[in-house]
Amino acid sequence: MAGPKSKALFERGRKVLIEGVSSASRGPATFGGAPRYMSHGQGARLFDVDGREYIDWMMAFGALPLGHAHPKVVETIAREAARGTHFATALEVEVEVAEMLVALLPHVDKVRFANTGTEAAMAAFRLARGHTGRRKIIKFEGHYHGWWDSVLINTNPYPPTLLGHPNDPIRIPDSSGIPEEAWKDTIVVRWNDVEALERAMALHGRDAACVVTEGVMSNMGVIPPKPGYLQRMQELCRQYGALFYLDETVTGFRLAAGGCAELYGLEPDIVTYGKALGGGLPMAMIGGRDEIMAGLEWGKVLHFGTHNAGRLALHVTKVMLETMLAEDQAGFRRIKNLGKAMTDEIRKLAKHSNRHGMVVQGVNSMFQIFFTDQPEISDYRDFCSHVDRAKFRDFALRLMDKGIYMNPSATLHSLSSIVHTEADITATAAAMAEVLEEMP
Ligand SMILES: Cc1ncc(COP(=O)(O)O)c(C=O)c1O
């Protein structure tokens, strides 16, 4: 339960902020009441205003591969802030970071910087439509690409009776205020199902500007792609002339230096990155091959932004890249090993006392626990039908009382950073064991 100072802040905050916060996922919708108001972070730890300490496995939804207040990040921000926070002009560091990204990502010849994953996705969809002259977007059930009208459909876990036939999912916008025109050209397809995709491509492929996918499904817990599935998707895109758009907002600079494209051997036409890219500051990018990215030139497809390529964020992005890539990418090896070690520990717990039906799924540094009657969760429909989200929330809230911070939403996931330690894993597993004993 939130402490007295958090509760008091929530009472104050809800008078002037919607639900006391600035994104629904941080407020009572997720925490069931007052959230814990955080005061500061250090390394792998978060501290709340009541003086409680947490091992942070959420890391700002994955924006912090270097953890909290990494000395290099702090030093860089202090140094650069003293030289001016933002100019909205061309910058040397902008060229430097773009060069680093292009050198690292074989499928990217050019990049354009934005601030958030949503903004980058909006530009990417407009670019895909501009480049191909086609209107339709093919997206997948349960995949989230930001809160833009055209793709904010079928991203929530709905009751199975609302989903429709797997060959023809019922399209459900996830918010009021989204006009039908915004998503009339968005086709929704079941993910991890080659036949469903082949059918959808036969019907819509020639009108599709792009097929957009998360490489690992990251907004319904963690669901890896079936072997060969993403490769087949890429092939079908080439066959029908639709752009293959890999949304690496979550997976970029987390699962591998080259994201899911590297992990699964893909050559996407367009990628977007956010979250980890900025090392804790708002930074996102759209990347792709020259002939596609050229569509963003002046007079073709428009993408603006006062805060694009913010200099503080670019300097921190550079530090993040240098730190993670040093010693032959030791940072990526470290977060992968830690993520796998945590996953193994949870698996042991699940085996030891499985009266709760606990399953853990992970890819490298990301993992999520499902309370389910199934041996695995392999797509959105499985998630909607077989995951006990209330139980996960109870589990996560109890863990918080023991100083372990995981987001209580089963649709999200946990992840390791370079500053987590073996001791954090041991402490987390011990707290989980206690919670599993206590839970009804
Ligand atoms: C796959 C994916 N794409 C895009 C976004 C949107 O990013 P942002 O929250 O930075 O707008 C998210 C956010 O969670 C995401 O998970």
Side-chain angles (χ1 to χ4, degrees):
M1 202 189 291
K5 287 191 178 163
S6 279
K7 282 186 180 159
L9 272 175
F10 181 55
E11 285 315 310
R12 256 175 75 195
R14 68 202 298 195
K15 294 191 180 120
V16 287
L17 290 159
I18 309 307
E19 299 173 323
V21 289
S22 296
S23 179
S25 60
R26 301 175 196 176
T30 297
F31 293 89
R36 290 156 205 248
Y37 284 73
M38 296 299 168
S39 66
H40 61 290
Q42 186 64 58
R45 297 288 188 286
L46 265 180
F47 300 84
D48 74 13
V49 290
D50 289 286
R52 298 176 183 167
E53 181 178 329
Y54 305 87
I55 300 175
D56 182 7
W57 291 102
M58 194 185 83
M59 286 288 161
F61 295 116
L64 296 163
L66 309 185
H68 298 284
H70 190 286
K72 284 190 199 158
V73 171
V74 174
E75 186 268 322
T76 301
I77 293 175
R79 185 190 68 226
E80 293 303 327
R83 291 159 54 83
T85 51
H86 187 47
F87 308 152
T89 65
L91 299 169
E92 185 174 352
V93 66
E94 182 180 5
V95 177
E96 285 173 351
V97 175
E99 283 171 350
M100 290 170 89
L101 293 167
V102 168
L104 195 61
L105 307 172
H107 45 285
V108 171
D109 296 330
K110 290 233 167 67
V111 307
R112 166 58 73 87
F113 292 114
N115 298 286
T116 67
T118 301
E119 274 179 58
M122 285 165 72
F125 288 120
R126 185 181 286 173
L127 176 60
R129 284 174 163 167
H131 178 81
T132 57
R134 302 173 177 188
R135 301 268 72 84
K136 288 187 182 169
I137 290 168
I138 297 184
K139 83 173 280 282
F140 297 95
E141 287 180 318
H143 286 217
Y144 179 68
H145 305 290
W147 50 276
W148 180 49
D149 288 1
S150 293
V151 287
L152 195 62
I153 80 173
N154 301 68
T155 71
N156 278 330
Y158 291 108
T161 48
L162 286 185
L163 303 181
H165 195 288
N167 290 350
D168 184 23
I170 297 173
R171 292 185 297 169
I172 314 174
D174 300 310
S175 167
S176 289
I178 301 184
E180 200 176 336
E181 305 86 73
W183 49 274
K184 78 175 174 28
D185 289 321
T186 307
I187 309 300
V188 178
V189 182
R190 185 182 195 182
W191 195 67
N192 245 349
D193 179 338
V194 169
E195 278 160 29
L197 182 58
E198 286 173 345
R199 205 174 305 110
M201 290 302 274
L203 280 170
H204 305 285
R206 300 226 175 271
D207 301 320
C210 64
V211 177
V212 60
T213 188
E214 299 175 25
V216 169
M217 199 169 180
S218 314
N219 288 287
M220 287 295 139
V222 176
I223 305 181
K226 289 191 176 147
Y229 176 67
L230 294 173
Q231 287 81 353
R232 181 69 184 132
M233 189 185 297
Q234 174 171 300
E235 233 171 62
L236 286 164
C237 284
R238 305 282 193 260
Q239 183 181 332
Y240 288 94
L243 297 185
F244 178 42
Y245 169 9
L246 186 62
D247 182 346
E248 300 252 35
T249 308
V250 168
T251 50
F253 301 112
R254 189 185 299 175
L255 297 189
C260 276
E262 177 184 320
L263 205 59
Y264 299 112
L266 304 169
E267 290 177 354
D269 299 306
I270 302 189
V271 288
T272 49
Y273 278 72
K275 298 192 192 266
L277 178 65
L281 273 79
M283 176 53 64
M285 71 144 189
I286 310 126
R289 286 195 313 281
D290 244 335
E291 74 271 18
I292 297 169
M293 291 300 286
L296 287 171
E297 283 165 6
W298 176 240
K300 296 179 188 162
V301 175
L302 195 136
H303 169 241
F304 278 163
T306 300
H307 286 280
N308 288 354
R311 63 184 297 282
L312 289 189
L314 280 167
H315 278 283
V316 174
T317 299
K318 191 174 158 191
V319 167
M320 183 283 291
L321 289 170
E322 285 168 353
T323 309
M324 294 299 287
L325 295 172
E327 295 170 42
D328 195 22
Q329 307 188 353
F332 289 102
R333 283 196 298 283
R334 179 166 174 82
I335 60 172
K336 172 176 159 179
N337 292 339
L338 287 164
K340 283 184 178 288
M342 188 71 250
T343 308
D344 287 346
E345 283 305 311
I346 302 171
R347 223 162 253 148
K348 276 188 220 156
L349 287 174
K351 215 168 177 181
H352 184 67
S353 74
N354 213 10
R355 71 183 169 95
H356 293 295
M358 185 168 88
V359 166
V360 58
Q361 294 186 187
V363 178
N364 293 358
S365 59
M366 290 165 64
F367 56 92
Q368 180 59 311
I369 292 164
F370 298 118
F371 291 104
T372 176
D373 54 1
Q374 300 295 300
E376 72 168 329
I377 299 299
S378 67
D379 81 349
Y380 168 78
R381 285 170 184 251
D382 268 0
F383 186 100
C384 295
S385 305
H386 297 291
V387 171
D388 187 339
R389 290 186 287 143
K391 189 160 184 172
F392 181 77
R393 183 159 92 174
D394 180 34
F395 173 75
L397 292 177
R398 287 171 188 264
L399 273 179
M400 258 177 219
D401 287 339
K402 296 184 188 293
I404 309 296
Y405 199 90
M406 286 181 169
N407 193 291
S409 170
T411 59
L412 295 169
H413 51 265
S414 295
L415 48 107
S416 50
S417 71
I418 56 166
V419 291
H420 284 99
T421 61
E422 292 292 333
D424 293 334
I425 292 172
T426 308
T428 301
M432 283 179 177
E434 283 176 27
V435 165
L436 290 170
E437 274 298 307
E438 288 163 16
M439 272 168 56

